[in-house]
Amino acid sequence: MQLHLDPSSATPLYAQVVEQVKALVASGGMRVGDQLPSVRDLAVSLRVNRNTAAKAYQMLEAEGVLATRAGHGTFVAAGSSRWSRQERFRRLERLADRLLVEAHHLNIPPAEIASLLERRLHAFEMNRPKSTGKS
Amino acid sequence: MQLHLDPSSATPLYAQVVEQVKALVASGGMRVGDQLPSVRDLAVSLRVNRNTAAKAYQMLEAEGVLATRAGHGTFVAAGSSRWSRQERFRRLERLADRLLVEAHHLNIPPAEIASLLERRLHAFEMNRPKSTGKS
Amino acid sequence: MQLHLDPSSATPLYAQVVEQVKALVASGGMRVGDQLPSVRDLAVSLRVNRNTAAKAYQMLEAEGVLATRAGHGTFVAAGSSRWSRQERFRRLERLADRLLVEAHHLNIPPAEIASLLERRLHAFEMNRPKSTGKS
Amino acid sequence: MQLHLDPSSATPLYAQVVEQVKALVASGGMRVGDQLPSVRDLAVSLRVNRNTAAKAYQMLEAEGVLATRAGHGTFVAAGSSRWSRQERFRRLERLADRLLVEAHHLNIPPAEIASLLERRLHAFEMNRPKSTGKS
DNA sequence: GTGGTCTAGACCACG
DNA sequence: GTGGTCTAGACCACG
């Protein structure tokens, strides 16, 4: 699992780990059932405090992205959102609104937003192994 | 100007103000040249300290969203980002990536992302007054 | 890091700190990666409030001169301006115009401006360590 | 006398007037002995408070740029700097240092500083009427 | 220990 | 009346 932390970012280290693990899972860099390094190993390889690594895993578990099997380690969880369809869309809508607001202030027109999103989506899907048919 | 702060949010109060003012401007709820409430009035209406309200305005001015006219108050600026094209796209790209990652974890397929974005964009533009052509 | 504040100056205390830190970095008195005193220590040594010292560091971080590493302190950043080329030249042009106007009123002819600038530039570069080529 | 004030600038209005009058004199847009509009007329034409216009003239008088002849009005003064040669160079040096520091942080190399200064100097001299020989 | 946020309250410049 | 600066002092997140 290859993560790259930016220690001088305003985003806390644990949150960077959360974001990147979610990105890995979303892009297919990690698949359901894959095992993650132990908290201890992760902390060593990222050169962060062990508490930082542990906090990241806790957050990811809380979100349902990872699951810990006692004594066996931490794995990418199968479960997708426990939230209702309405709640899931509400959350995405909030992010979409922030994107649109930011694009407006960065003076980036709608057409360019669309093409940028398509480009990024494509970049994600390049990394994803072929679907097994189970979505 | 109607803002709603959530004191229990992890987002600092001043940052909530910044976000909401940017959203108002982007959505057409406020237009270039419109005057904002004075720092003192805003502080009273949001029940925050004057310094907190002032900090929000200062951040917005630093971003080029607002402009302060000495002794006269604070206004929506004509804008146009001062950042390099590269920096502007880098910022939007980060938001786009987060949106795509989040959509995956919320189990919302790409086609629905596109339609949601279009819907939100439309909602924004409904509020925006038609251009008069006079700049 | 040796700074000298003039409490009777029209320039705010935090802005004096900003100016002097930028001068230190530009002249090679501080190098990329160097750690600055903590906000608390700086406040004590300058006999200003902690908030004032913090504000100076925040401005410098916003300008890209410093970078903060959560829980570790504040460091000289690798830099490189985020502004557009146009904006960067506009800013320098304003300073150049002020210099030329002032030189006229001080009755200092163009030829002497050039030689003074060269002298000062030389003084700056004397202090700057030779590049190691390693960036 | 054509001045252009930017009400949303951080520079106070009176200081903008001071700067621009000095620039006019330096560039030859106004010459020694030329009469300036009355405080009242200036205030009207710039649409500023009369106190603002008066303060600008006071500052310019204090610097020796303008002189008021009681009952006759305000004129561009002949006198150049009352300061010693050393003091005059010290003042220009301060501006030069600020320019060099800023150029460094804007990532503008020395060669470009020189060419920019030359360009601006040229722009100034274009406006200046031919010397009468008295400098 | 590090920086970030917030309040209460004072003083000041600008216009 | 407007925003800007500064202090004293408290609390919090991060690591």
Side-chain angles (χ1 to χ4, degrees):
Chain A
M1 195 175 66
Q2 203 60 330
L3 307 184
H4 299 283
L5 302 189
D6 174 5
S8 69
S9 160
T11 308
L13 296 180
Y14 81 88
Q16 292 184 45
V17 174
V18 167
E19 219 176 274
Q20 290 184 35
V21 169
K22 288 178 76 171
L24 270 176
V25 173
S27 70
M30 299 199 73
R31 302 174 66 176
V32 171
D34 283 358
Q35 181 164 14
L36 283 88
S38 70
V39 164
R40 178 189 304 238
D41 287 350
L42 182 65
V44 168
S45 77
L46 296 180
R47 292 182 223 184
V48 298
N49 192 294
R50 210 185 296 172
N51 297 328
T52 304
K55 181 161 186 179
Y57 277 7
Q58 280 160 24
M59 305 290 288
L60 287 162
E61 263 197 84
E63 282 201 59
V65 176
L66 302 184
T68 292
R69 296 205 325 241
H72 287 87
T74 302
F75 301 83
V76 176
S80 68
S81 287
R82 288 148 295 203
W83 292 303
S84 71
R85 178 178 167 84
Q86 189 188 351
E87 174 65 14
R88 283 156 42 216
F89 271 80
R90 226 174 47 76
R91 283 172 175 260
L92 196 63
E93 197 174 282
R94 278 225 309 274
L95 273 178
D97 282 358
R98 288 184 50 188
L99 180 100
L100 293 173
V101 166
E102 216 50 49
H104 177 269
H105 289 288
L106 292 171
N107 210 20
I108 295 179
E112 298 218 44
I113 303 173
S115 77
L116 180 141
L117 263 170
E118 205 164 319
R119 229 162 38 237
R120 298 310 297 162
L121 184 61
H122 194 63
F124 269 37
E125 295 192 327
M126 291 300 290
N127 294 332
R128 189 172 306 150
K130 287 190 195 84
S131 167
T132 61
K134 289 195 297 182
S135 158
Chain B
M1 196 177 66
Q2 205 61 328
L3 307 184
H4 299 283
L5 299 190
D6 174 5
S8 72
S9 162
T11 307
L13 299 177
Y14 80 88
Q16 293 182 43
V17 175
V18 166
E19 219 175 274
Q20 290 180 35
V21 169
K22 287 176 78 170
L24 271 174
V25 172
S27 71
M30 299 202 73
R31 304 174 62 177
V32 172
D34 283 356
Q35 180 162 17
L36 283 88
S38 77
V39 165
R40 285 162 175 78
D41 287 351
L42 182 66
V44 167
S45 78
L46 297 181
R47 294 181 219 187
V48 298
N49 189 275
R50 276 212 295 119
N51 291 334
T52 302
K55 183 167 185 178
Y57 279 4
Q58 281 166 15
M59 304 293 284
L60 286 162
E61 190 174 2
E63 283 200 57
V65 175
L66 301 184
T68 287
R69 282 168 44 190
H72 284 97
T74 303
F75 301 79
V76 177
S80 108
S81 194
R82 296 184 196 82
W83 285 305
S84 68
R85 182 179 166 83
Q86 188 188 4
E87 177 70 14
R88 283 157 46 216
F89 272 81
R90 191 183 304 139
R91 281 167 185 260
L92 197 63
E93 198 174 282
R94 277 207 73 228
L95 278 177
D97 283 356
R98 288 182 50 188
L99 181 94
L100 293 173
V101 166
E102 212 53 36
H104 175 90
H105 287 286
L106 292 170
N107 209 19
I108 295 177
E112 300 218 43
I113 302 174
S115 77
L116 179 142
L117 263 172
E118 206 163 319
R119 227 159 41 233
R120 298 309 298 162
L121 185 60
H122 193 64
F124 271 32
E125 295 192 328
M126 291 300 290
N127 293 334
R128 194 172 303 147
K130 289 192 193 81
S131 168
T132 62
K134 288 195 298 184
S135 152
Chain C
M1 196 178 65
Q2 205 61 329
L3 307 183
H4 299 283
L5 300 190
D6 174 4
S8 73
S9 162
T11 307
L13 299 177
Y14 79 88
Q16 293 182 44
V17 174
V18 166
E19 219 175 275
Q20 291 180 36
V21 169
K22 287 176 78 170
L24 271 174
V25 172
S27 70
M30 299 202 73
R31 303 174 64 178
V32 171
D34 283 356
Q35 181 163 15
L36 284 87
S38 77
V39 166
R40 285 162 174 80
D41 287 352
L42 182 66
V44 167
S45 77
L46 297 180
R47 294 184 218 184
V48 298
N49 189 276
R50 274 211 296 122
N51 290 335
T52 303
K55 184 168 185 177
Y57 279 4
Q58 281 165 15
M59 303 293 284
L60 286 161
E61 189 173 2
E63 282 200 58
V65 176
L66 302 184
T68 287
R69 284 169 43 191
H72 285 98
T74 302
F75 301 80
V76 177
S80 107
S81 195
R82 296 183 194 83
W83 285 305
S84 68
R85 181 179 167 83
Q86 189 188 3
E87 176 71 14
R88 285 157 44 216
F89 273 81
R90 191 184 303 139
R91 282 167 184 259
L92 197 63
E93 198 174 281
R94 278 208 72 229
L95 277 177
D97 283 357
R98 289 182 50 189
L99 181 93
L100 293 173
V101 166
E102 211 55 34
H104 175 92
H105 287 286
L106 293 169
N107 210 20
I108 295 176
E112 300 219 42
I113 301 174
S115 77
L116 179 142
L117 264 172
E118 206 164 319
R119 226 159 43 234
R120 298 308 298 162
L121 184 61
H122 193 64
F124 272 31
E125 295 191 328
M126 290 300 289
N127 293 332
R128 193 171 306 147
K130 288 191 194 80
S131 168
T132 62
K134 289 194 298 184
S135 154
Chain D
M1 195 174 67
Q2 203 61 329
L3 307 185
H4 299 283
L5 301 189
D6 174 5
S8 68
S9 161
T11 308
L13 297 178
Y14 81 88
Q16 292 183 45
V17 174
V18 167
E19 218 176 275
Q20 290 183 34
V21 169
K22 287 178 77 172
L24 270 175
V25 174
S27 70
M30 300 200 72
R31 304 175 65 176
V32 172
D34 282 356
Q35 181 165 14
L36 283 88
S38 71
V39 165
R40 177 188 306 239
D41 287 350
L42 181 66
V44 168
S45 77
L46 296 180
R47 292 180 223 185
V48 298
N49 192 295
R50 209 186 296 171
N51 297 328
T52 303
K55 181 161 187 181
Y57 278 7
Q58 280 161 24
M59 305 289 288
L60 287 161
E61 264 198 83
E63 282 201 60
V65 176
L66 302 183
T68 293
R69 296 202 328 239
H72 287 87
T74 303
F75 302 83
V76 176
S80 69
S81 285
R82 287 148 296 201
W83 292 302
S84 70
R85 179 178 166 83
Q86 189 189 352
E87 173 66 13
R88 282 156 45 216
F89 271 80
R90 225 175 46 75
R91 283 171 174 262
L92 197 62
E93 198 174 280
R94 277 224 309 271
L95 273 179
D97 282 358
R98 287 184 50 188
L99 180 99
L100 293 173
V101 166
E102 216 50 50
H104 177 270
H105 288 287
L106 292 171
N107 210 19
I108 295 178
E112 299 218 44
I113 303 174
S115 77
L116 180 142
L117 264 171
E118 206 164 317
R119 230 163 35 238
R120 298 309 298 163
L121 183 61
H122 193 65
F124 268 37
E125 295 191 329
M126 291 301 289
N127 295 332
R128 189 173 304 151
K130 289 192 194 82
S131 168
T132 62
K134 290 195 295 182
S135 158

